[in-house]
Amino acid sequence: MAGRKKNPEKTAATRNALLEKSYELFVSKNIEDVSMQEIARECGYGTMTLYRYYNTKPKLVVAVATHKWKQFSEENQKRRPSVNFEGMTSADIFEFYLESFIVLYRSNKDLLRFNQFFNVYIQSENVDEKDLQPYQGIIDILKERFHIIYSKAKEDNTIRTDEPEEEMFSITLHLMLAAVTRYAVGLVYIPEKGFDDERELEKMKQALLIMYKT
C-alpha cells in the first residue's frame, strides 16, 4: 500500500514550531544546556519526530540561527526608503546598513544573545562546514547587499573605495556586530553615572561614516 503523502503546510508548521521553541529554549538556557529530548517534549512532539526533521543537534542549531536571521533580514528590508535604494547615494545606503545594527540591538536583543551562544557552540562542538552552509548563506546575503554599496560608490564617489571591498565589509560587520552583541549580553563597562547604550552605538556608527565617507 502506498504511503500517505505529506501535507506541505503541516510539515512547514511543524518545522516552524520546532525552530521557534528551540530558539526560545536556547536563549533562556544556553544552547549547550538544552537537549533534543527537552525540545521535543516542550513542543509536544515525540523525540523521533524531531529527529526526522533534524537528525543531529548541530543541524538543528544551525537551522534555528538561519531561520531567525532570515526573519530579521526580511523585517529590515521593510525599513528601506525605497525597494532598490533608488535616489540614494552609496553614503546614504551605507548609513542605512550601519543603522540596521542599531535597529537589531533595539528590537532583537534575544537574537544577539542567541548569536553569542551560537558562536561558542559551533566552536566547542567543531561543527562541520557542510552543516554550516545554510547559515553561511545568510552571511552571503549580507555580502551581496554590501556589494551594492561598494559598486555604487565607484560611480558616485560618496564612499571610499581605496580599500578592498572584502576588508571594508569585514571591518564594518565585525565592529558593529561585536558592539551590539556585547551590549546585548551585558559585557560592557558601565560608568558610575550610567550610560546611554544607543547613544554610544550611534557614535560608533558616526565614526565609521567619518572613516569611509569622502
Side-chain angles (χ1 to χ4, degrees):
M1 185 173 68
R4 290 181 298 176
K5 291 183 179 179
K6 291 183 179 180
N7 183 324
E9 292 184 1
K10 184 177 180 180
T11 298
T14 300
R15 188 182 300 278
N16 188 72
L18 292 171
L19 293 174
E20 290 293 338
K21 178 55 68 173
S22 298
Y23 173 72
E24 179 184 319
L25 292 169
F26 291 154
V27 169
S28 64
K29 301 179 66 173
N30 196 337
I31 295 172
E32 293 180 351
D33 297 334
V34 180
S35 69
M36 296 288 273
Q37 290 76 14
E38 180 179 2
I39 292 168
R41 183 175 64 251
E42 290 294 321
C43 288
Y45 294 108
T47 305
M48 291 306 297
T49 297
L50 175 57
Y51 276 103
R52 278 199 297 271
Y53 284 84
Y54 304 101
N55 60 4
T56 67
K57 184 176 175 181
K59 287 183 179 179
L60 171 62
V61 172
V62 171
V64 171
T66 305
H67 172 68
K68 298 307 292 188
W69 278 111
K70 184 178 179 181
Q71 281 185 343
F72 173 73
S73 178
E74 291 172 350
E75 284 298 315
N76 195 50
Q77 282 192 49
K78 297 175 183 177
R79 294 180 45 248
R80 288 186 180 188
S82 58
V83 176
N84 294 311
F85 299 111
E86 296 94 343
M88 297 174 68
T89 66
S90 58
D92 293 333
I93 305 172
F94 184 53
E95 183 167 6
F96 173 87
Y97 165 77
L98 295 177
E99 179 67 21
S100 297
F101 291 96
I102 300 177
V103 171
L104 171 63
Y105 173 73
R106 186 182 299 135
S107 60
N108 290 273
K109 291 183 179 66
D110 281 352
L111 178 55
L112 289 167
R113 285 191 286 269
F114 166 78
N115 200 58
Q116 178 78 353
F117 297 150
F118 174 79
N119 289 330
V120 172
Y121 179 79
I122 62 173
Q123 291 294 326
S124 65
E125 294 295 318
N126 196 25
V127 178
D128 189 89
E129 287 188 11
K130 184 178 179 181
D131 288 337
L132 282 170
Q133 283 180 354
Y135 179 77
Q136 184 60 43
I138 298 296
I139 303 299
D140 290 341
I141 290 173
L142 284 176
K143 290 176 69 175
E144 289 170 6
R145 291 174 182 169
F146 193 86
H147 181 67
I148 295 173
I149 299 170
Y150 200 84
S151 297
K152 194 172 184 67
K154 289 184 176 181
E155 299 172 1
D156 65 21
N157 298 311
T158 59
I159 290 290
R160 290 170 48 193
T161 55
D162 57 319
E163 290 188 9
E165 178 179 346
E166 182 78 10
E167 180 179 322
M168 187 173 170
F169 170 71
S170 179
I171 289 171
T172 54
L173 173 67
H174 288 140
L175 285 177
M176 291 303 294
L177 188 56
V180 295
T181 298
R182 289 183 70 87
Y183 281 116
V185 301
L187 295 174
V188 291
Y189 165 71
I190 302 179
E192 290 184 6
K193 295 183 179 180
F195 73 113
D196 186 328
D197 48 359
E198 290 196 25
R199 183 170 179 269
E200 290 192 4
L201 289 170
E202 179 65 26
K203 285 183 175 291
M204 292 179 200
K205 183 189 83 172
Q206 293 300 326
L208 285 169
L209 285 170
I210 292 170
M211 180 186 299
Y212 287 113
K213 287 176 71 172
T214 58

